[in-house]
Amino acid sequence: MTDSSDRPLAVFDLDNTLADTSHRQRFLERRPRDWNAFFAAAPQDPPIPQGVALAVESARECEVVYLTGRPERCRRDTLEWLAREGLPDGRLFMRRNDDRRPARRTKLDVLRRLGRDREVRFLVDDDELVCDDAERAGFAVVRARWTLPSVTLRVAQEREGRT
């Protein structure tokens, strides 16, 4: 194995890419949305086999990095979930607790920073807007289409900048 600083990066989203959030969507269907309950339920997310397999396979040639729209306050739960589900070790980039920009903006900012010093082999994400913007910026993208898209979550991501 080569020095990790020389290896290309494989960047993975979490929600609906590696973690199935369908059991907690109900918290976003309420008015007002219950973001605290939505994020508190994240440790119970079942893993998505296709995403997990791709992350494990990618770790053979790449350094795996996790890039999520989850707020920083979810870091401990997220790291514990990644370890429990057997995902490769990797840096975790999260949204600042007070950052309400759409995920496509926050994630593209991080991708560009990562790409300054390292090859980003690809981004794996379920959010079509994130994928579209990343492709326009010149990044290779794997669209995680292995779960049913959630209109509620997509609207919340774009309008409320919460995940």
Side-chain angles (χ1 to χ4, degrees):
M1 186 176 292
T2 61
D3 180 358
S4 67
S5 64
D6 296 333
R7 298 170 74 200
L9 302 175
V11 182
F12 285 82
D13 171 47
L14 294 175
D15 293 341
N16 293 323
T17 298
L18 298 173
D20 183 348
T21 66
S22 60
H23 71 100
R24 53 189 170 110
Q25 296 297 312
R26 68 186 186 276
F27 298 116
L28 301 183
E29 294 165 358
R30 303 175 179 170
R31 293 284 186 242
R33 298 184 202 282
D34 190 345
W35 287 104
N36 288 332
F38 178 78
F39 289 120
Q44 287 76 50
D45 289 354
I48 299 173
Q50 299 94 320
V52 171
L54 183 56
V56 170
E57 174 67 26
S58 298
R60 293 182 182 163
E61 293 184 15
C62 298
E63 177 185 340
V64 172
V65 173
Y66 302 101
L67 175 57
T68 182
R70 291 180 187 184
E72 185 64 40
R73 71 179 183 273
C74 299
R75 180 171 290 274
R76 181 183 305 186
D77 285 346
T78 301
L79 289 171
E80 288 173 0
W81 185 90
L82 290 164
R84 184 177 67 242
E85 299 304 333
L87 282 136
D89 288 338
R91 291 178 287 165
L92 172 62
F93 293 88
M94 304 184 84
R95 178 193 299 273
R96 289 186 332 265
N97 289 329
D98 63 346
D99 188 345
R100 296 291 186 265
R101 294 175 297 151
R104 60 193 170 99
R105 290 199 173 82
T106 60
K107 289 183 176 184
L108 192 56
D109 286 349
V110 174
L111 280 174
R112 285 182 171 137
R113 277 198 321 261
L114 291 170
R116 283 187 204 133
D117 300 323
R118 301 275 291 280
E119 173 196 348
V120 175
R121 176 82 40 98
F122 55 78
L123 165 70
V124 184
D125 204 301
D126 69 305
D127 185 325
E128 294 293 332
L129 295 173
V130 169
C131 292
D132 290 346
D133 283 3
E135 284 179 336
R136 277 193 289 275
F139 294 98
V141 171
V142 175
R143 293 174 188 259
R145 292 180 173 151
W146 33 77
T147 61
L148 292 175
S150 166
V151 173
T152 303
L153 184 58
R154 186 182 73 233
V155 169
Q157 288 170 324
E158 272 303 295
R159 293 188 184 158
E160 297 176 38
R162 296 289 188 119
T163 184

